[in-house]
Amino acid sequence: MTEAQARQRGGNAEDISAERLAEIGIRFEVDGEIATITLDRPDKRNAQTFATWTALAGIGESLPEQVRVVVVKGEGPSFSAGIDLRMFTPEGVPGQGSFSSAARGGDADFEHSIRKAQAGFLWLRRPEIVSIAAVQGHAIGAGFQLALACDLRIVADDVKFCMKEPALGLVPDLTGTKPLVELVGLAKAIDICLTARTVHAEEAMRIGLAEQVVARDDLDRAVRDKAAQLLSTNRDAAVATKRLLQGARGRTLEEQGVAEGLEQAARIKALFGG
Ligand code: ACO
């Protein structure tokens, strides 16, 4: 039993039964080595609530071990219009409170809530998987950050990325700022966030926000093709290589060389150790 399964059986994990996910507006399907998470509230442009983020965290915790590729997509015209704007009203989202109620609570409580929400995004970078965001239409605020949480972004030609938070008096706090800076550089990240302007497909491709731009009707096929390419390489080598690539920025060239040697020694042992 994996640690995640143990936690789930112990009753501490999120309820991610299909019924509960449907209530929240998420579908989760596993087909062999590919898992697909679909934000499924198209009538509300896949607006996200606190329950969305805890459910994402729950999916990450209980992800079946055989999964190597995780696709994150949105049903309908938009990937996600960001946080559910009811969170900004005094009434909030039924059963989930609002920012007004959070503001009355202590700072420590609020920071704890943010960390819980961020857990829904952070697992998408695990070395054991490659995550692909399939993004069409609007990806605003939390929607943009969810796309940024993934390793790769394949986008439709109608994509509209927008980091709306600063325009609303907020900061992006769902782990999106670091990948944004790493992808596009500090100056462009400042430009995109502090103007809250929209980044369209051509620019997204040019500045490194998107790996691939395809016609809207071709999005699912392009994601399927990329998943197949990713699954064509050796699983353990892929995990070790992702670990190396992820660590590269934080190491000197010399240190990276050492890390490569260590990973390769383990590979050689596994392949030829007998
Ligand atoms: N929260 C709650 N409901 C939403 C949200 C949202 N973020 N976005 C859209 N909806 C709802 C609309 O209220 C509308 O509901 P209704 O049919 O019951 O009236 C429905 O979704 C469709 O929305 P439209 O605006 O009619 O759809 P359209 O395709 O014309 O526009 C767009 C889409 C551009 C995304 C627009 O809905 C919008 O600007 N939404 C708000 C975006 C936003 O400010 N998000 C917060 C970012 S900050 C953060 O995420 C932390």
Side-chain angles (χ1 to χ4, degrees), residues 43-45 47 78 81-85 138 140-142 164-165 168:
D43 54 323
K44 298 294 176 193
R45 302 299 180 262
S78 290
I83 195 169
D84 192 314
L85 294 173
H138 291 95
I140 304 178
K164 183 95 176 271
E165 287 84 343
L168 300 173

Side-chain angles (χ1 to χ4, degrees), residues 10 25 42 53 57 72 83 88 92 127 140 163 169 183 185 212 245 256 263:
W53 304 324
V72 181
I83 195 169
F88 297 145
I140 304 178
M163 200 66 91
L183 286 168
Q212 206 179 334
L245 296 172
Q256 184 70 1
E263 291 283 12

Side-chain angles (χ1 to χ4, degrees), residues 41-254:
R41 279 211 302 157
D43 54 323
K44 298 294 176 193
R45 302 299 180 262
N46 301 320
Q48 302 172 34
T49 66
F50 198 78
T52 311
W53 304 324
T54 50
L56 289 175
I59 290 171
E61 280 182 17
S62 57
L63 195 71
E65 270 175 27
Q66 83 267 14
V67 170
R68 292 183 61 189
V69 173
V70 176
V71 176
V72 181
K73 56 192 278 196
E75 194 64 53
S78 290
F79 177 72
S80 172
I83 195 169
D84 192 314
L85 294 173
R86 288 176 301 170
M87 290 290 284
F88 297 145
T89 65
E91 303 77 35
V93 177
Q96 299 184 50
S98 68
F99 282 108
S100 307
S101 52
R104 286 193 297 274
D107 287 352
D109 287 351
F110 188 62
E111 278 167 32
H112 177 70
S113 300
I114 291 178
R115 296 296 299 161
K116 258 185 93 175
Q118 290 170 341
F121 292 60
L122 287 169
W123 69 270
L124 289 161
R125 293 287 179 145
R126 269 186 215 153
E128 292 75 20
I129 56 165
V130 177
S131 50
I132 307 173
V135 191
Q136 83 285 4
H138 291 95
I140 304 178
F144 191 1
Q145 294 192 72
L146 183 57
L148 285 166
C150 293
D151 293 308
L152 309 176
R153 279 147 296 282
I154 298 180
V155 307
D157 51 11
D158 67 348
V159 77
K160 296 175 197 69
F161 289 113
C162 171
M163 200 66 91
K164 183 95 176 271
E165 287 84 343
L168 300 173
L170 300 169
V171 300
D173 67 349
L174 293 166
T175 76
T177 55
K178 186 173 167 69
L180 183 64
V181 170
E182 289 179 351
L183 286 168
V184 306
L186 179 59
K188 189 62 78 184
I190 289 173
D191 168 23
I192 290 170
C193 293
L194 274 62
T195 63
R197 70 179 176 83
T198 298
V199 178
H200 296 269
E202 182 277 326
E203 184 184 7
M205 187 71 198
R206 182 164 37 84
I207 67 178
L209 263 184
E211 272 63 49
Q212 206 179 334
V213 178
V214 297
R216 178 61 201 275
D217 288 346
D218 290 338
L219 187 57
D220 285 343
R221 185 193 48 74
V223 171
R224 270 199 309 275
D225 289 351
K226 183 57 69 185
Q229 287 170 12
L230 289 162
L231 293 176
S232 71
T233 55
N234 177 286
R235 178 180 191 144
D236 294 333
V239 173
T241 303
K242 184 174 168 186
R243 247 194 323 258
L244 274 175
L245 296 172
Q246 285 182 312
R249 247 180 242 269
R251 300 193 193 102
T252 64
L253 187 56
E254 180 67 26

